[in-house]
Amino acid sequence: MHASPIPLPVAMLIVFGSAKLMAELFSRLRLPSLAGEIVAGVLIGPGVLGWIAPNEVLRALSDLGVLFLLFSIGLEIKISDLLRVSAVATLIAALGELLPFLAGWGILLLWGAPRGEAIFVGAALVATSVGITASVLSARNLLN
């Protein structure tokens, strides 16, 4: 990966500023603000506007962000509530892992991608779907 030609503070300002702007826009449209943040990342990234190029520092910061997201969701869930709904929660968790994997894997196979790439994309969708689902449910106060 090549380093971003702009200084890190400016890159972070662009990332956080665009994420906040799109999150606010999506929130006003009664859509999950996290979806707006994802759209902002796609827009400013190398695929569309090319304002931000991937580098190791931004990758490390994004990994930390995912860790903090999942940790904060874990802090909001009570063990007693989880045990009370364990059967339903287990079914939902299993489907929440299986459906994104099968969707990513199946779509890539239909597009003619090699089996290994299809499995990788399916696994990547599983890894990201948990944090995104938890964040959206938390933002809408539906974790209870």
Side-chain angles (χ1 to χ4, degrees):
M1 296 278 160
H2 48 77
S4 176
I6 57 177
L8 180 63
V10 175
M12 290 178 65
L13 178 66
I14 292 170
V15 169
F16 290 131
S18 62
K20 182 62 176 169
L21 182 69
M22 292 300 288
E24 184 65 29
L25 176 66
F26 271 56
S27 180
R28 289 179 188 224
L29 295 173
R30 298 186 185 271
L31 296 170
S33 59
L34 184 66
E37 293 169 355
I38 292 171
V39 168
V42 170
L43 288 176
I44 65 172
V48 180
L49 296 174
W51 291 352
I52 302 294
N55 63 45
E56 291 305 314
V57 174
L58 290 176
R59 183 178 318 279
L61 290 173
S62 69
D63 289 345
L64 279 173
V66 170
L67 286 173
F68 285 131
L69 169 70
L70 293 175
F71 183 71
S72 67
I73 297 300
L75 288 176
E76 293 179 18
I77 297 175
K78 296 178 185 172
I79 297 293
S80 59
D81 292 341
L82 193 58
L83 291 174
R84 185 174 38 103
V85 295
S86 60
V88 175
T90 302
L91 177 64
I92 291 172
L95 290 176
E97 300 291 314
L98 188 62
L99 292 178
F101 176 80
L102 291 176
W105 175 72
I107 289 171
L108 256 70
L109 285 181
L110 287 174
W111 287 348
R115 189 181 325 215
E117 286 180 26
I119 290 172
F120 177 80
V121 169
L125 289 175
V126 167
T128 57
S129 70
V130 173
I132 290 171
T133 303
S135 179
V136 169
L137 290 175
S138 175
R140 295 186 179 252
N141 294 322
L142 296 175
L143 284 179
N144 294 331

